[in-house]
Amino acid sequence: MADNAIVIGSDHAGYSLKQVLIAHLKDKGWDVVDVGTHGPDSVDYPDFGSAVARALKDGKGDRGIVVCGTGIGISIAANRHAWVRAALCHDITSARLCREHNDANVLALGARLIGEEVAKDCVDVFLGTEFGGGRHQRRVDKLGLTEST
Ligand code: RB5
């Protein structure tokens, strides 16, 4: 499953959009690993940003999608894991450039800020765009070299 699997997670604010995106991804032929949340009850977004990060590390998928109300909290949570480069996108240009320039491996979306069609378009562009490499590779490499104090 890992070769063609997308790991997806959300909090309660992102739950409804997550379900829409899961159906969309399956329609497009992707396998989907859903790490929750599995209902609309209130939960904490760090748990699900971290669950997506851990699933990627465990090889359950190549790329991830995280959704919360704004996309901010869950992207911060995912980005606290060194192997994650999560990009919060509200438009398809950001979704394209986060792949081309940043080799983002997780797309973060804000369910309270964008509509379902924009979200689906962001997903399609994110999954359909390759990393540009070249000068961008050097910069992405440096993302792994930041100090931790
Ligand atoms: C939940 O109310 C909300 O705070 C969360 O979904 C997210 O927007 C946080 O960044």
Side-chain angles (χ1 to χ4, degrees):
M1 180 179 270
D3 281 351
N4 193 31
I6 307 302
V7 179
I8 191 166
S10 76
D11 72 353
H12 56 286
Y15 171 70
S16 174
L17 180 58
K18 173 168 71 68
Q19 301 314 111
V20 168
L21 295 178
I22 289 170
H24 178 71
L25 287 162
K26 288 182 174 173
D27 276 352
K28 297 268 176 176
W30 295 96
D31 288 329
V32 180
V33 176
D34 180 6
V35 299
T37 187
H38 298 296
D41 293 346
S42 184
V43 292
D44 299 330
Y45 58 80
D47 296 337
F48 297 92
S50 292
V52 169
R54 282 193 299 270
L56 292 175
K57 189 173 193 188
D58 290 345
K60 293 180 179 165
D62 297 325
R63 297 206 200 153
I65 299 170
V66 293
V67 190
C68 70
T70 59
I72 296 171
I74 203 162
S75 63
I76 292 171
N79 273 320
R80 294 184 69 83
H81 301 270
W83 57 92
V84 169
R85 290 178 300 281
L88 175 55
C89 297
H90 304 102
D91 59 87
I92 57 170
T93 305
S94 304
R96 175 174 60 82
L97 289 172
C98 80
R99 288 289 309 130
E100 287 181 0
H101 288 204
N102 312 116
D103 198 18
N105 56 357
V106 173
L107 172 67
L109 298 168
R112 291 174 176 163
L113 303 181
I114 61 170
E116 290 179 1
E117 294 305 314
V118 173
K120 287 191 276 189
D121 287 347
C122 286
V123 165
D124 291 345
V125 169
F126 177 76
L127 295 177
T129 305
E130 295 300 319
F131 178 45
R135 69 188 187 281
H136 303 300
Q137 183 66 64
R138 181 180 70 247
R139 295 161 184 167
V140 168
D141 288 344
K142 288 186 176 182
L143 292 174
L145 299 175
T146 50
E147 288 180 36
S148 60
T149 54

